[in-house]
Amino acid sequence: MGSEQEIISGWKKGAFHPVYWLEGDEPYDIDKIVEYAENHILSKDEASFNLSVFYGRDSKAEEIINACKRYPMFAERQVVLLKEAQHMRDIEKLEYYFEKPLISTIFIVAYKEKKLDGRSKFSKLVKSKSVYLSTKKLYDNELPEWVSTLAHNKGYELQSKALRMIVDHIGNDLQRIENELEKITVNLAGRNQITEDDIENFIGVSKEFNIFELQAALVNRDLAASVHILNYFDANPKAAPIQLILPTLYSFFSKLYVAYSSGSRDEHGIALALGIKGFFAKQYIRAMQNYSYAETEKILLLLHDTNLKSVGVHRADSDDVSLLKEMVSKIVLK
């Protein structure tokens, strides 16, 4: 087993293993490892003779094994990459090479967005003969910490609202989050703090009209503010489509339901129960002041019903914004 940081750190120190197997639901770490292997293990001169790249859909096991069994030319080692290995039909035939890999070959298999059947003979062989990495998607409550850490590692700090705007707008797309942060940081002109204005200016998320502000308006039971934000979404369809709004609100009220069940009523206790940063717990405390446990249950059912209507189940002839306005009215008005 390894991690993206451990694998790349080992390579930087000259520690190489013959076979690396990278699989799982989250492509971000896999892509980082493959990118480093393709561009940094070998020098440019070495790579011209000693870098082989295969794609699973277009490759057969025999040709990959032959490439792995070649000896490097004018270098200590060669790199063989198998990308999109999940599309390779005869991938289990690679077991022949896994049994006796060549020490001078670094063979890296990227089996993305899937996992081998852990009960199979091939899977057990892979895990015993390779440096094995299995990735999984982050949970929603893990995203703020991940984004904050990513920014910190790049030398930047995110204001709390800026952090929430990024998470709510982009969701669980780690590579896109990194790309958007890069876009922001090249425009900071020497500053190291990322503000909500930066998110608005360089990503295009309105600091006044976004899902975070809609959620805040609902927490405060402010119908006028909620409808005002929905009118903005209606005029700017790409800002927050219903397919983004409903899961976000369902996630919030689900966590509010958990907060009630935890028995905690203070910031620290709620943050601990929900696995979130302390400053995010304040909104749940506010929501508990405005919505009872029973009301929270009803809101979850209402969100579920609205989601069904949004995909055409029991839906009258009404557009998305009309559906949302009806929903927020039922949420806010006692």
Side-chain angles (χ1 to χ4, degrees), residues 18 64 74 80 86 101 107 113 117 120 152 166 214-215 220 222 225 248 257 265 273 275 283-284 299 306 312 318 320:
I64 295 171
F74 314 114
V80 177
Q86 69 275 12
F107 181 34
E113 298 175 355
D117 182 348
S120 69
H152 180 76
I166 288 178
L214 175 62
Q215 184 174 290
N220 291 324
D222 188 335
T248 301
Y257 191 76
R265 295 296 181 269
Q283 198 169 49
Y284 291 94
I299 290 169
T306 305
S318 57
D320 288 348

Side-chain angles (χ1 to χ4, degrees), residues 13-209:
K13 296 174 183 177
F16 299 100
H17 294 267
V19 180
Y20 295 82
W21 184 277
L22 319 172
E23 70 175 23
D25 302 323
E26 176 52 65
Y28 180 83
D29 286 348
I30 296 174
D31 288 340
K32 288 295 179 185
I33 293 171
V34 169
E35 188 277 332
Y36 188 93
E38 188 168 3
N39 296 290
H40 299 291
I41 289 180
L42 302 173
S43 69
K44 288 186 178 180
D45 290 339
E46 290 173 334
S48 60
F49 294 100
N50 299 289
L51 174 64
S52 301
V53 180
F54 296 90
Y55 290 86
R57 198 183 299 275
D58 306 319
S59 305
K60 295 182 179 180
E62 183 179 357
E63 61 184 339
I64 295 171
I65 291 171
N66 287 337
C68 288
K69 292 176 70 175
R70 285 198 303 262
Y71 287 95
M73 296 178 63
F74 314 114
E76 291 183 38
R77 58 186 63 88
Q78 68 160 339
V79 174
V80 177
L81 293 174
L82 174 54
K83 299 182 178 181
E84 300 175 7
Q86 69 275 12
H87 298 305
M88 187 173 169
R89 293 183 179 180
D90 61 346
I91 195 166
E92 292 190 2
K93 292 182 179 179
L94 293 176
E95 65 181 346
Y96 168 77
Y97 180 75
F98 284 6
E99 292 283 6
K100 292 184 179 180
L102 203 64
I103 196 71
S104 57
T105 295
I106 304 168
F107 181 34
I108 301 158
V109 181
Y111 194 88
K112 292 182 0 178
E113 298 175 355
K114 290 182 70 177
K115 292 183 181 181
L116 292 173
D117 182 348
R119 301 164 296 180
S120 69
K121 176 185 173 183
F122 183 60
S123 176
K124 293 174 182 176
L125 176 68
V126 164
K127 292 176 183 178
S128 66
K129 297 293 186 179
S130 70
V131 174
Y132 172 77
L133 173 70
S134 178
T135 69
K136 64 179 183 178
K137 288 283 188 182
L138 294 178
Y139 293 112
D140 289 345
N141 63 353
E142 295 175 314
L143 277 173
E145 183 69 33
W146 188 90
V147 177
S148 182
T149 300
L150 178 66
H152 180 76
N153 290 341
K154 294 177 179 294
Y156 299 92
E157 298 298 328
L158 278 156
Q159 287 184 350
S160 59
K161 185 174 179 180
L163 174 58
R164 176 51 68 188
M165 288 170 68
I166 288 178
V167 170
D168 286 345
H169 178 67
I170 299 176
N172 202 337
D173 186 337
L174 305 188
Q175 187 58 60
R176 185 183 167 199
I177 288 172
E178 183 172 43
N179 292 343
E180 295 292 2
L181 282 178
E182 291 290 344
K183 185 193 302 182
I184 293 168
T185 56
V186 298
N187 288 285
L188 291 184
R191 287 188 291 116
N192 66 354
Q193 187 171 70
I194 299 172
T195 68
E196 60 193 79
D197 289 328
D198 295 321
I199 306 302
E200 182 174 56
N201 293 334
F202 305 121
I203 298 183
V205 183
S206 170
K207 64 182 179 182
E208 296 180 9
F209 302 101

Side-chain angles (χ1 to χ4, degrees), residues 141 250-265 269-275 284 288 293 296-297 300:
N141 63 353
Y250 192 87
S251 175
F252 176 80
F253 283 101
S254 294
K255 289 174 185 173
L256 180 61
Y257 191 76
V258 172
Y260 266 115
S261 302
S262 73
S264 298
R265 295 296 181 269
I270 289 175
L272 192 63
L274 299 181
Y284 291 94
M288 292 170 85
Y293 182 78
T296 303
E297 284 186 317
L300 289 172

Side-chain angles (χ1 to χ4, degrees), residues 228-252:
H228 188 45
I229 293 169
L230 290 177
N231 285 336
Y232 175 86
F233 292 162
D234 189 26
N236 300 273
K238 293 183 179 180
I242 193 169
Q243 295 85 359
L244 181 61
I245 293 171
L246 293 177
T248 301
L249 294 180
Y250 192 87
S251 175
F252 176 80

